[in-house]
Amino acid sequence: MINAKHCLFVSVLAACAALAACSGDEGHDSNAEQRSSSAGLPKGQIEAGEKQANTKGEATGQSCIDCHGAEGNDPLDATYPKLGGQHTDYLAHALQEYRNGNREHALMSNQAQGLTDQQIADLAAYFGSRPAQIRDLSGAH
């Protein structure tokens, strides 16, 4: 008859063996440590994001700041979202969706089309680091 301690020991040993097998270098993604978001992007740099946010895009001739305001908190139009303080993963995912054509907006789709993964990560880091002044858009239309 097998006692409970023996079963527990065998279970722990099997779990350790499974973890060891998974931690080998075969198939290891060397960029995994550099990924910092659920959107699968590299780590964003706030300073680079600030510079990008103030750079006029080729597609529209506008910068992020032109439409979303200083630090993303003073939108040109009441229907444009405030970006300051928003979750970085949300911002990154939204930009990826605009870039990939899965989310559409007359300006944002064109603006995001040429962005690299690093630029998206940087913009998300910058706007996510700004003070939050987020509000819902109920009654804005």
Side-chain angles (χ1 to χ4, degrees), residues 2-140:
I2 300 175
N3 68 28
K5 283 185 179 182
H6 185 260
C7 285
L8 179 61
F9 174 75
V10 170
S11 296
V12 170
L13 187 60
C16 289
L19 285 173
C22 291
S23 67
D25 283 341
E26 300 90 30
H28 178 71
D29 179 4
S30 61
N31 292 324
E33 296 83 21
Q34 298 172 1
R35 303 286 178 202
S36 66
S37 74
S38 64
L41 297 172
K43 183 178 170 97
Q45 303 297 319
I46 293 170
E47 297 81 18
E50 181 175 16
K51 183 177 178 182
Q52 182 69 34
N54 286 284
T55 301
K56 304 271 186 201
E58 289 181 29
T60 64
Q62 302 293 315
S63 71
C64 303
I65 300 302
D66 289 340
C67 293
H68 295 281
E71 298 189 331
N73 284 314
D74 190 19
L76 176 67
D77 183 278
T79 62
Y80 292 2
K82 290 187 177 188
L83 305 178
Q86 185 59 268
H87 296 280
T88 57
D89 282 350
Y90 170 77
L91 293 168
H93 181 72
L95 284 170
Q96 285 179 310
E97 292 294 289
Y98 284 124
R99 179 185 67 187
N100 298 336
N102 297 325
R103 187 171 177 176
E104 294 183 17
H105 182 271
L107 293 172
M108 285 302 303
S109 297
N110 292 323
Q111 193 76 353
Q113 208 167 40
L115 294 176
T116 66
D117 283 352
Q118 186 63 60
Q119 289 171 320
I120 288 174
D122 294 343
L123 286 167
Y126 171 66
F127 284 114
S129 74
R130 303 296 84 200
Q133 295 181 13
I134 300 169
R135 63 179 177 80
D136 84 23
L137 296 176
S138 299

